[in-house]
Amino acid sequence: MKVLLISANTERINMPVLPLGLAYVAAAADGHGHTVKMLNLMMTADTQETLRKAMVEFNPEIIGISVRNIDDQNMENPRFLLEAVKEVVITCRKYSDATIVLGGAGYSIFPQAALDFLEADIGVQGEGESAFLDLLQRLRDKKDLAKIPGLYLPGQPSPSESGYIKSLTDIRLPLPDVHLSIPSAIKDQGIWIPFQTRRGCPLDCSYCSTATIEGRIIRKHDPKKVVEAISRYAEVGLDHFFFVDNTFNLPISYANTLCEQLIASKLRITWRCILYPWQVDDELVEKMAKAGCREVSLGFESGSEKILANMNKRYRPADIRQISERLKKFGIGRMGFLLLGGPGETKETANESLVFADSLGLEAIKITIGIRIYPHTPLAQTAIKEGLIKAEDNLLIPKFYIAKGLGSWLQETVKAWMETRPNWVR
């Protein structure tokens, strides 16, 4: 079938983001004989004309639209981002009769609500490679779409089975300029290529949506295949990578093996990753540095033992400090993250976190005030009990948790701290 895959994300909240998830779907469809065209709207000046041209010239039978962001997670002045995606759907309808299928991380958090709002034909919640291929086959053969894992249809009951893939062994890694193209406008900006080596997170942090997007079971790509794919990028001059695994260091045995494979490959690459500040020893950090790691995102979220326990974190401030010092010892830059205002937060615990973060001497710190409430999380249940949201609220329109009485005080306090700390950002 002729499949047009559209990355609808135009948001550059921290940096331009390449559509990795959509590239996986493109690689899967391409590998099964479908004719695939990718369209990234990130740097598009005239979205309507770009879409019109693609519809007319390619004439797709299926249009897949990746929805990455629902909103910008900014409690002070939240921007709802699905209106722009809805315009993409409307334009596709205007120039094509193709079936429109939604997917992506943002969509997967709100599968029914987003499908209803965007008025598409079908939605695939979770990892799309397997379910999307099954969908293409059934659409081509005009067969019943029922029982495809993770498949949502307007006005129909939610699927009984999730779309998570049990094993990544047969999943194709997307290749440069084949499944993952880089817009020329950002190619010379030192873009960090997103790369995923494993999926799933069993940690169950109180506010996190990762388990809804990827499932709770960690599944891993073969480290040898990972290095082989990275070498393909390096061959065309792309040597900066961002391992977007939610927790690069878990399991630690896999992280060690991957670093060993990268070291043995002698690829001259630079990379960054996301570390969960727990179970990170000198051996792993040294291997990371030797393998090319130059920066980590250290999302410790709080410096208060009480708040960390409320967030269901497995580490404590002493672990964060020890890991931070290890990273510094091996020359790896540290970007810390604070998440202030959650359940149980007080002026005392917030000040404790600010003092703690300051004492670490990190290269950069990003502070978020208020926590976006996502469905199916302990935070949502807390918000329901406290009367902040209703049980029937689908939460598609952004709502935030902020501990009572802390809103304006936190804003003023954080602003004062940041005035003398240029490496702290909001």
Side-chain angles (χ1 to χ4, degrees), residues 293-355:
C293 181
R294 297 294 175 264
E295 178 185 311
V296 302
S297 295
L298 199 61
F300 55 87
E301 317 301 12
S302 176
S304 163
E305 287 210 23
K306 171 189 169 184
I307 300 303
L308 290 174
N310 286 351
M311 290 178 169
N312 200 28
K313 300 293 186 181
R314 301 190 185 188
Y315 54 84
R316 293 298 175 259
D319 300 308
I320 301 166
R321 185 176 301 282
Q322 187 178 58
I323 291 167
S324 174
E325 290 171 354
R326 283 181 174 140
L327 293 165
K328 182 179 179 180
K329 173 183 173 182
F330 289 99
I332 297 177
R334 303 152 298 167
M335 175 75 170
F337 290 79
L338 280 179
L339 193 55
L340 303 177
E345 190 86 272
T346 63
K347 293 180 180 180
E348 290 73 25
T349 61
N351 271 317
E352 186 180 3
S353 290
L354 292 167
V355 170

Side-chain angles (χ1 to χ4, degrees), residues 197-262:
T197 70
R198 73 210 90 175
R199 301 179 188 174
C201 184
L203 295 175
D204 203 27
C205 298
S206 64
Y207 53 85
C208 189
S209 60
T210 298
T212 302
I213 299 167
E214 299 183 2
R216 297 182 181 278
I217 299 174
I218 295 178
R219 291 138 300 138
K220 308 173 287 290
H221 285 292
D222 182 339
K224 290 183 179 179
K225 289 185 178 180
V226 169
V227 175
E228 288 172 5
I230 288 176
S231 68
R232 296 283 294 273
Y233 286 85
E235 286 171 4
V236 297
L238 301 171
D239 57 4
H240 281 62
F241 297 88
F242 183 7
F243 287 111
V244 295
D245 311 11
N246 194 53
T247 51
F248 181 84
N249 54 304
L250 301 178
I252 192 169
S253 57
Y254 180 83
N256 271 302
T257 300
L258 177 58
C259 288
E260 289 165 3
Q261 294 277 352
L262 287 170

Side-chain angles (χ1 to χ4, degrees), residues 411-424:
Q411 299 288 353
E412 293 168 5
T413 301
V414 168
K415 182 180 179 181
W417 276 75
M418 290 178 65
E419 285 176 355
T420 56
R421 294 166 179 82
N423 62 325
W424 288 29

Side-chain angles (χ1 to χ4, degrees), residues 134-146 148 151 153:
D134 194 359
L135 173 63
L136 292 178
Q137 180 73 31
R138 296 195 190 195
L139 287 173
R140 182 175 61 188
D141 298 342
K142 295 182 171 52
K143 289 186 176 180
D144 184 13
L145 304 182
I148 295 179
L151 191 82
L153 296 167

Side-chain angles (χ1 to χ4, degrees), residues 63-77:
I63 299 172
I65 300 177
S66 175
V67 181
R68 183 179 188 272
N69 299 314
I70 302 299
D71 59 278
D72 63 356
Q73 300 182 333
N74 184 338
M75 187 186 74
E76 294 174 72
N77 186 28

